[in-house]
């Protein structure tokens, strides 16, 4: 009896401890101190010694978006992150890691042979004239890491940097684009020596594809290499290649997210494979850069659907999902939807025909605080913050008075230099900004950063709101200034998700 009872207690608490937390791609992610997580273009890996996931990334704060060093966070569930400070701290006057230098795309791997954690990154000066790979090491996962050197990989140039470890033989590989010069524009896969201390040889060159931000995910039978096009901090259609072996032959690239979502508004960066007790889950870890405010850039982490028989990989969108890192299982969280057709409009906001939208209408003309839309009858089951996802799009139809030149083509955005995101009064805007007011409480205006999308493409923007218990909540959306205008994105619907368990 007693043993049974004890066993039950343990089972209960173990289950409670490992209860998965929600992952909300594109939300503002905070660490356990309540600060915005700043770990851009980084890597996340599980460390056996500590039994935790460690997330390294570029540390960016307002006013210093480059050379901020490498931050590090740890987590047991991939949703709750504790900050451990800078794993690689910039050193004033240092030739490679001073705050004036570029310290980008850090990746960390454990070297069995040196018993050290090895951090590699794209080391450069501010004009990208050096194109080196930096190495720093630490005896512990969390650091601090000590700078070792920065060098040219096998004599070539190295810009966007990635790192991949083959789970079958433990061998690690550097992935790097060799910059934008005419002689460059390739992406390399090069093997490390067994120490992961230097590169040994080039295993494959993706010749002249002119792609960047490379990462690789491995299944039992395939390697998939994901990369983005080169459009600066503007997102584009992320592509993947497949091969049986890292040396190739590699397939043609294909687009891994629905067309014109621009990789769900993200750039490829890293992948994380969770080989759980029940299933294996492949996560895409992308960056949602905000070029107007780099330090506020967000993270798009999504499961990938990989079908080795069809030789296909696709990234799947989920507003909110629940991941159990022990079993590897995840499920999409269900929300309650409120459609635009049932919302009321004020001022110049109106419902416009849109055959791609829910019920064939979309809410548009959301401008300033006198042209708003209001969703009513929104249910709040508990008095805790609820995650609300506003499904929005923007159509250039409503922007004919403000975008220029008239032949601007967003179709080729990413692939053609002529492509352009939303252009308001001549200025590129990667986002619109809306005000969100709950239950008419004008004193607590929430700010919603809505990403620019392609014509007719509906994407979600998450926002954490507090609703009253009962079903009489209202949510009012207006436009806020993005420095150029007061336009909010067109809205399709609102989905309210339950709070975390
Ligand atoms: C970066 O390094 C290159 C190559 O040494 C040099 O030509 C360039 O002037 C440097 N840029 C800066 C900002 O120091
Ligand atoms: C550091 O890298 C440079 C090339 O960037 C190389 O010349 C030098 O020998 C390296 N030093 C060490 C200690 O590895
Ligand atoms: C780097 O490789 C490219 C081909 O991928 C070659 O044309 C170029 O000369 C190389 N650069 C250096 C510095 O070796
Ligand atoms: C409404 O927006 C204008 C700017 O368009 C601003 O000056 C004013 O303070 C706002 N009023 C309220 C009540 O938020």
């Amino acid at each position: 009896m007693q043993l049974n009872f004890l066993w039950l207690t343990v089972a209960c608490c173990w289950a409670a401890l490992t209860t998965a937390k929600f992952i909300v791609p594109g939300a503002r992610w905070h660490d356990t101190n309540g600060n915005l997580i700043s770990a851009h273009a980084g890597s996340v890996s599980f460390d056996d010694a500590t039994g935790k996931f460690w997330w390294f990334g570029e540390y960016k704060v307002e006013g210093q978006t480059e050379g901020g060093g490498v931050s590090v966070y740890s987590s047991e569930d991939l949703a709750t992150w504790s900050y451990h400070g800078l794993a690689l701290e910039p050193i004033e006057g240092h030739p490679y890691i001073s705050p004036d230098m570029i310290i980008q795309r850090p990746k960390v791997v454990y070297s069995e042979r040196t018993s050290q954690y090895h951090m590699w990154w794209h080391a450069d000066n501010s004009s990208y004239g050096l194109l080196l790979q930096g190495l720093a090491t630490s005896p512990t996962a969390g650091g601090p890491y000590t700078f070792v050197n920065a060098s040219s990989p096998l004599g070539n140039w190295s810009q966007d940097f990635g790192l991949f470890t083959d789970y079958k033989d433990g061998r690690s590989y550097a992935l790097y684009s060799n910059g934008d010069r005419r002689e460059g524009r390739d992406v390399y896969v090069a093997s490390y020596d067994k120490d992961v201390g230097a590169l040994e040889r080039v295993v494959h060159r993706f010749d002249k594809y002119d792609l960047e931000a490379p990462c690789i995910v491995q299944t039992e039978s395939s390697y998939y290499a994901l990369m983005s096009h080169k459009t600066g901090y503007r997102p584009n259609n992320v592509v993947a290649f497949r091969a049986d072996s890292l040396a190739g032959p590699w397939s043609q690239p294909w687009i891994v997210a629905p067309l014109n979502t621009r990789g769900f508004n993200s750039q490829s960066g890293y992948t994380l494979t969770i080989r759980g007790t029940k299933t294996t889950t492949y996560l895409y870890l992308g960056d949602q850069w905000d070029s107007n405010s780099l330090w506020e850039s967000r993270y798009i982490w999504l499961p990938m659907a990989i079908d080795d028989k069809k030789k296909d990989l696709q990234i799947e969108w989920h507003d909110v999902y629940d991941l159990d890192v022990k079993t590897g299982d995840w499920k999409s969280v269900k929300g309650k939807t409120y459609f635009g057709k049932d919302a009321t409009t004020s001022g110049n906001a109106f419902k416009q025909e849109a055959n791609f939208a829910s019920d064939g209408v979309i809410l548009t003309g959301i401008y300033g605080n006198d042209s708003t839309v209001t969703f009513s009858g929104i249910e709040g089951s508990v008095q805790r913050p609820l995650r609300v996802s506003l499904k929005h799009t923007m159509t250039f139809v409503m922007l004919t008075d403000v975008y220029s030149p008239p032949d601007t083509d967003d179709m080729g955005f990413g692939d053609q230099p002529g492509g352009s995101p939303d252009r308001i009064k001549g200025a590129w805007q990667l986002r619109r900004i809306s005000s969100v007011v709950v239950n008419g409480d004008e004193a607590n205006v929430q700010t919603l950063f809505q990403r620019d999308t392609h014509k007719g493409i509906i994407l979600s923007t998450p926002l954490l709101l507090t609703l009253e218990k009962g079903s009489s909540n209202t949510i009012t959306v207006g436009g806020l200034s993005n420095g150029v205008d007061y336009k909010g994105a067109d809205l399709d619907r609102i989905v309210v998700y339950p709070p975390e368990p």
Side-chain angles (χ1 to χ4, degrees):
M1 273 306 281
Q2 210 174 6
L3 274 176
N4 263 344
F5 176 75
L6 276 176
W7 183 83
L8 280 173
T9 307
V10 171
C12 127
C13 299
W14 181 81
L17 277 175
T18 58
T19 292
K21 291 275 172 50
F22 292 172
I23 295 182
V24 187
R28 277 181 185 261
W29 291 2
H30 295 95
D31 64 19
T32 50
N33 296 328
N35 298 316
L36 272 190
I37 294 181
S38 185
H40 306 279
S43 69
V44 179
S45 44
F46 186 77
D47 172 50
D48 289 324
T50 51
K52 288 179 180 173
F53 293 94
W54 292 85
W55 180 3
F56 300 85
E58 297 171 25
Y59 183 69
K60 298 181 186 300
V61 292
E62 198 169 6
Q64 171 139 26
T65 55
E66 296 296 348
V70 177
S71 53
V72 56
Y73 298 80
S74 71
S75 175
E76 283 174 15
D77 58 14
L78 292 175
T80 316
W81 291 95
S82 307
Y83 183 50
H84 298 274
L86 291 178
L88 183 70
E89 201 166 347
I91 298 171
E92 207 67 54
H94 190 281
Y96 298 109
I97 56 166
S98 82
D100 303 330
M101 302 294 279
I102 295 279
I103 304 168
Q104 287 181 351
R105 299 192 176 275
K107 307 287 176 284
V108 173
V109 62
Y110 181 66
S111 167
E112 298 274 353
R113 304 233 311 194
T114 66
S115 304
Q116 301 269 316
Y117 294 83
H118 289 201
M119 178 188 290
W120 286 92
W121 70 95
H122 166 211
D124 219 321
N125 67 14
S126 61
S127 60
Y128 295 85
L130 301 177
L131 298 167
L132 305 175
Q133 289 174 5
L135 170 65
T137 59
S138 165
T140 55
Y145 285 73
T146 307
F147 180 86
V148 176
N149 206 0
S151 54
S152 299
L154 304 169
N156 210 289
W157 303 301
S158 178
Q159 192 159 328
D160 275 8
F161 177 78
L163 193 148
F164 164 72
T165 301
D166 193 312
Y167 82 91
K168 289 185 179 168
D169 62 8
R171 183 53 76 95
S172 291
Y173 299 81
L175 321 169
Y176 47 100
S177 61
N178 59 347
D180 302 334
R181 296 174 212 189
R182 184 175 287 270
E183 315 89 282
R185 303 181 188 173
D186 309 305
V187 174
Y188 281 86
V189 181
S191 55
Y192 281 104
D193 61 13
K194 287 192 174 154
D195 289 357
V196 204
L199 286 178
E200 223 165 50
R201 64 184 185 91
V202 170
V203 170
H204 181 75
R205 184 168 82 200
F206 291 92
D207 214 22
K208 302 301 163 214
Y209 279 103
D210 204 12
L211 299 167
E212 63 182 7
C215 53
I216 288 181
V217 58
Q218 178 185 19
T219 62
E220 271 169 44
S221 58
S222 298
Y223 299 89
Y224 294 85
L226 282 79
M227 302 174 204
S228 81
H229 298 84
K230 292 182 176 173
T231 49
Y233 287 113
R234 306 184 305 283
N236 57 61
N237 289 315
V238 172
V239 297
F241 302 77
R242 196 207 69 87
D244 295 334
S245 141
L246 286 170
W250 287 86
S251 73
Q252 278 275 316
W254 70 92
I255 293 170
V256 297
L259 279 177
N260 299 321
T261 63
R262 302 167 183 159
F264 295 119
N265 236 310
S266 74
Q267 181 176 38
S268 47
Y270 207 65
T271 68
L272 176 63
T273 300
I274 299 171
R275 290 178 217 283
T277 53
K278 277 196 200 151
T279 189
T280 298
T281 289
Y282 304 98
L283 288 181
Y284 164 87
L285 311 186
D287 291 285
Q288 185 172 76
W289 298 110
D290 185 337
S291 61
N292 296 320
S293 188
L294 267 189
W295 64 281
E296 287 183 292
S297 297
R298 306 192 186 194
Y299 314 99
I300 303 290
W301 291 7
L302 290 168
M304 293 185 274
I306 301 183
D307 186 334
D308 281 326
K309 283 208 185 77
K310 289 186 180 150
K311 305 182 172 183
D312 190 25
L313 175 156
Q314 293 290 324
I315 303 170
E316 294 181 345
W317 181 265
H318 298 278
D319 283 348
V320 181
Y321 60 98
D322 186 342
L323 172 72
D324 185 327
V325 297
K326 293 281 186 285
T327 63
D329 266 340
W330 62 271
K331 59 179 194 300
S332 202
V333 175
K334 283 197 174 52
K336 187 163 179 188
T337 303
Y338 302 87
F339 291 100
K341 77 166 169 29
D342 301 320
T344 54
T345 59
S346 82
N348 295 322
F350 67 104
K351 295 170 190 172
Q352 185 178 30
E353 175 184 320
N355 64 13
F356 54 85
S358 304
D359 309 301
V361 290
I362 203 147
L363 300 164
T364 190
I366 300 169
Y367 199 104
N369 49 23
D370 50 9
S371 297
T372 63
V373 299
T374 298
F375 291 80
S376 304
I378 293 178
E379 207 174 308
S381 54
V382 282
Q383 276 177 299
R384 281 173 60 189
L386 298 188
R387 297 190 186 278
V388 176
S389 176
L390 294 106
K391 304 276 186 182
H392 70 273
T393 184
M394 276 176 278
T395 74
F396 276 69
V397 176
M398 56 175 279
L399 285 172
T400 43
D401 57 335
V402 290
Y403 85 97
S404 65
D407 61 347
T408 295
D409 167 31
D410 63 333
M411 298 297 286
F413 178 52
D415 296 321
Q416 297 159 22
S420 150
D422 193 3
R423 208 184 262 267
I424 300 177
K425 292 183 177 154
W428 269 348
Q429 293 299 315
L430 284 181
R431 63 184 188 188
R432 298 196 185 184
I433 303 183
S434 284
S435 61
V436 178
V437 169
V438 176
N439 297 329
D441 182 6
E442 301 275 354
N444 288 303
V445 177
Q446 304 288 317
T447 304
L448 181 71
F449 295 88
Q450 295 159 309
R451 299 287 298 193
D452 173 24
T453 79
H454 192 280
K455 283 189 190 75
I457 299 292
I458 295 173
L459 293 174
S460 308
T461 307
L463 188 66
L464 202 57
L465 294 176
T466 302
L467 301 181
E468 296 296 325
K469 199 177 163 109
S471 57
S472 57
N473 290 279
T474 63
I475 295 179
T476 301
V477 184
L480 270 186
S481 174
N482 60 7
V484 180
D485 219 323
Y486 283 85
K487 281 190 172 169
D490 298 352
L491 280 182
D492 183 66
R493 61 195 188 275
I494 284 179
V495 186
V496 178
Y497 290 94
E500 274 170 350

